[in-house]
Amino acid sequence: MLIDDVAQALGRHGLRLGGGFRPDAVDRVPPLPDGTPVGAVLMVGNAGPGMWRRFSDERPAGPSPLDAWTINVLARVAERFGACAVYPFQLPFLPFQQWAMRAEPCYVSPLRMLIHPVFGLWHACRGALLFAGDIGLPDRVEVPSPCESCVGSPCLSMCPVGAFAADAYDAAGCLAHLDGPDGEDCVALGCRARRACPVGSEYRYAPEQARFHMEAFRRVFRSP
């Protein structure tokens, strides 16, 4: 019942409950502020345009408005349900990708983004709720990675500068393309390689959301 209530509370803000897990030592889940070990972790994320609509209506001022909005929302949800909220954008950085793969069927795609069997590449982690005790997590439903049955890996062939290789990501080449005269398509609509994935295409971000994230990506990689 608690998990259903948490999912409903998140849904009112356009967020989704991305499964949960009982942590062990290798998960590197920090204790609660009072030192109590964490008994359960619920992942919080977004998929498709729902979160963007709420964020756009409530957007706070400042240099990192989405992070500020996320903290405002999740802090209130955490307080309501007796949890502690942690975030992927705060130091010390926590292994959110690892946690997401523990919580539900998410897999590392050839683009190194996590792919979801339903949402494809159009989802993201926004935070996690840490609970002291066992909250009755359901059994995880196993679904194979959609990349296993993908033919031709169109995500790899669509990058205009071949930034995605088997063993590395050419961030500098990607950034140079985005800053150049031919990069507006990726800036305005989102990464062309990401858009080439056929999974979850109905959840693609709208142009204004895609541009917001691409501009944030550019700022991060320009930072010293």
Side-chain angles (χ1 to χ4, degrees):
M1 183 65 71
L2 182 145
I3 294 176
D4 291 341
D5 290 343
V6 171
Q8 290 179 9
L10 294 172
R12 285 193 283 272
H13 300 281
L15 296 169
R16 63 177 291 265
L17 179 60
F21 63 96
R22 298 175 182 88
D24 53 34
V26 300
D27 294 313
R28 293 170 46 206
V29 175
L32 297 174
D34 64 0
T36 302
V38 171
V41 178
L42 292 182
M43 301 300 294
V44 179
N46 63 278
M51 179 205 71
W52 182 257
R53 289 193 289 264
R54 287 301 302 267
F55 165 70
S56 297
D57 291 341
E58 303 167 355
R59 181 171 179 157
S64 301
L66 183 54
D67 293 349
W69 178 87
T70 300
I71 291 171
N72 182 47
V73 170
L74 289 195
R76 286 184 281 130
V77 173
E79 182 179 14
R80 175 181 170 185
F81 293 102
C84 174
V86 292
Y87 308 95
F89 45 80
Q90 288 187 332
L91 294 172
F93 293 130
L94 297 169
F96 266 79
Q97 278 206 336
Q98 176 185 323
W99 293 358
M101 290 187 286
R102 286 270 278 124
E104 63 176 345
C106 287
Y107 305 90
V108 179
S109 73
L111 302 184
R112 294 174 182 80
M113 304 175 189
L114 292 187
I115 190 166
H116 187 279
V118 175
F119 305 117
L121 300 173
W122 304 103
H123 67 108
C125 292
R126 296 307 310 164
L129 299 174
L130 312 183
F131 293 83
D134 188 341
I135 57 174
L137 292 171
D139 293 335
R140 172 181 160 133
V141 177
E142 295 298 336
V143 179
S145 169
C147 297
E148 293 180 6
S149 57
C150 180
V151 177
S153 298
C155 61
L156 293 179
S157 61
M158 285 301 293
C159 178
V161 292
F164 302 98
D167 58 351
Y169 165 56
D170 182 8
C174 177
L175 183 60
H177 171 70
L178 295 177
D179 289 342
D182 298 325
E184 179 58 22
D185 175 69
C186 287
V187 173
L189 300 177
C191 170
R192 192 180 300 176
R194 188 180 190 181
R195 283 184 280 139
C197 178
V199 182
S201 58
E202 64 270 33
Y203 294 98
R204 285 180 183 172
Y205 298 157
E208 58 271 21
Q209 183 176 4
R211 181 178 288 276
F212 176 91
H213 291 300
M214 293 303 289
E215 293 288 1
F217 166 82
R218 294 164 84 181
R219 287 194 299 274
V220 167
F221 275 92
R222 286 198 191 100
S223 299

